Amino acid sequence: MLRVLGLAFSLLSGVAMAQAQPVSRIVTLAPSLTEAVCALGHCAQLVGTDRHSTWPNSVQVLPKVGGLEDAQIERIVTLRPNMVLLGPRSRAGERLKALGVPVMTFDARTHADLKRMLLKLGDTLGEPARATELLARMETELDAAAARMPAALRGRSVYVEVGAGSSAASDKSFIGETVARLGLVNVVSGDLGLFPRINPELLLRRPPDIIIGPRATLSNLSDRPGWSTLPAVRQQQLCLLDTERMDLLSRPGPRLGEAAQMLVECLNALPPR
């Protein structure tokens, strides 16, 4: 413990110098931030990530420092980062700042948020041009995915589940914006929040044509009260995503266009109605 505090004191006394120097030792506490750092060409500067960061494969061997609710502060300090990147709900920020560790917090829950995050991170890493190019590529990929959507699928309604307890992506979330770019209509309104936990009766009142979500939680849809009557369930209009594809969809990061392409492939594979 004394050693950790000593390291913290050294960080605190040298924080002004660290901030003036290039960011060379980065810890990320959200998978989307890990992916963004790598997409901007700075994977080699990562010295630790949260436990859920899995892409690209090279980050899986890095030290893991916990997650959203249980970031391991002492371990982060021992990694001697001169920048820690956090999501908005992380509890680690204030504690790290008190120890003199430079921290940046990002809240990317819409497409506009994601663009701001990538541009800001690009500036921080000395890669503004690369960030601009990355955003342009993402837009091109989104347009290409939308162009691949069959006319028969456009205008169909969709429900996107993102977690246990019927947590959904509303039309105002980054996932909702992605499905809208594909020409689909989200049955969950942004008036309920970006990622609300919905009352299952909502789908009985507004039955979707298509249901998208994790295979792990949607495999028993017929057991949910009344859901066996939903047209999407009866007609097997279900995009059931494995863990890897669900991670791709649910991370607001540089693979946004790739996620849209994946959704189009899943939708194109649905059985005819």
Side-chain angles (χ1 to χ4, degrees), residues 111 114 137-150 153-154 174-184 212 239 241 244-269:
H111 283 195
L114 174 57
R137 189 188 76 202
M138 289 164 54
E139 284 296 316
T140 298
E141 290 171 345
L142 285 168
D143 288 341
R148 290 178 55 211
M149 279 285 286
L153 290 176
R154 293 184 176 276
F174 74 93
I175 296 175
E177 290 174 324
T178 296
V179 299
R181 287 283 289 266
L182 299 179
L184 301 171
I212 300 170
C239 275
L241 307 179
E244 184 176 342
R245 291 190 298 166
M246 197 64 210
D247 284 346
L248 177 61
L249 177 64
S250 60
R251 293 176 179 176
R255 296 193 292 160
L256 190 72
E258 186 180 338
Q261 297 277 4
M262 177 272 293
L263 280 181
V264 172
E265 291 173 5
C266 187
L267 293 167
N268 276 325

Side-chain angles (χ1 to χ4, degrees), residues 38-40 53 91 94 98 101 112 116-117 127 155 161 240 260:
C38 289
L40 291 168
S53 288
R91 298 177 179 179
E94 292 304 318
V101 180
R116 284 190 289 269
M117 181 264 278
E127 302 284 358
E161 189 161 294
L240 304 181

Side-chain angles (χ1 to χ4, degrees), residues 192-230:
L192 299 175
L194 293 176
F195 295 97
R197 179 168 293 185
I198 68 160
N199 185 327
E201 292 183 2
L202 172 67
L203 265 64
L204 300 180
R205 297 194 302 270
R206 297 192 64 191
D209 297 317
I210 302 167
I211 295 176
I212 300 170
R215 182 179 300 276
T217 60
L218 294 181
S219 58
N220 61 343
L221 279 181
S222 295
D223 295 337
R224 298 185 185 185
W227 282 35
S228 61
T229 65
L230 294 175

Side-chain angles (χ1 to χ4, degrees), residues 10-229:
S10 297
L11 279 167
L12 183 59
S13 62
V15 66
M17 182 180 298
Q19 289 175 329
Q21 294 174 348
V23 176
S24 58
R25 296 183 64 83
I26 306 169
V27 171
T28 52
L29 283 171
S32 57
L33 293 170
T34 303
E35 296 185 10
V37 168
C38 289
L40 291 168
H42 286 257
C43 245
Q45 281 70 55
L46 285 170
V47 295
T49 76
D50 68 288
R51 70 167 65 89
H52 301 294
S53 288
T54 55
W55 188 93
N57 288 336
S58 60
V59 306
Q60 296 185 30
V61 300
L62 291 172
K64 301 304 175 186
V65 295
L68 185 67
E69 302 291 339
D70 60 350
Q72 299 167 9
I73 303 300
E74 293 183 7
R75 190 170 195 198
I76 292 172
V77 171
T78 63
L79 294 172
R80 305 189 311 280
N82 61 354
M83 183 57 66
V84 177
L85 306 178
L86 306 169
R89 293 173 293 153
S90 175
R91 298 177 179 179
E94 292 304 318
R95 294 174 65 191
L96 289 168
K97 289 177 185 177
L99 292 170
V101 180
V103 168
M104 292 185 72
T105 301
F106 296 95
D107 185 5
R109 297 190 291 172
T110 67
H111 283 195
D113 291 339
L114 174 57
K115 292 175 183 178
R116 284 190 289 269
M117 181 264 278
L118 290 173
L119 289 173
K120 177 65 175 177
L121 193 53
D123 286 342
T124 299
L125 298 177
E127 302 284 358
R130 195 163 188 165
T132 300
E133 292 170 2
L134 178 59
L135 289 174
R137 189 188 76 202
M138 289 164 54
E139 284 296 316
T140 298
E141 290 171 345
L142 285 168
D143 288 341
R148 290 178 55 211
M149 279 285 286
L153 290 176
R154 293 184 176 276
R156 293 177 68 178
S157 59
V158 63
Y159 165 73
V160 184
E161 189 161 294
V162 293
S166 298
S167 295
S170 78
D171 58 7
K172 294 295 191 293
S173 69
F174 74 93
I175 296 175
E177 290 174 324
T178 296
V179 299
R181 287 283 289 266
L182 299 179
L184 301 171
V185 179
N186 199 325
V187 298
V188 179
S189 168
D191 294 340
L192 299 175
L194 293 176
F195 295 97
R197 179 168 293 185
I198 68 160
N199 185 327
E201 292 183 2
L202 172 67
L203 265 64
L204 300 180
R205 297 194 302 270
R206 297 192 64 191
D209 297 317
I210 302 167
I211 295 176
I212 300 170
R215 182 179 300 276
T217 60
L218 294 181
S219 58
N220 61 343
L221 279 181
S222 295
D223 295 337
R224 298 185 185 185
W227 282 35
S228 61
T229 65

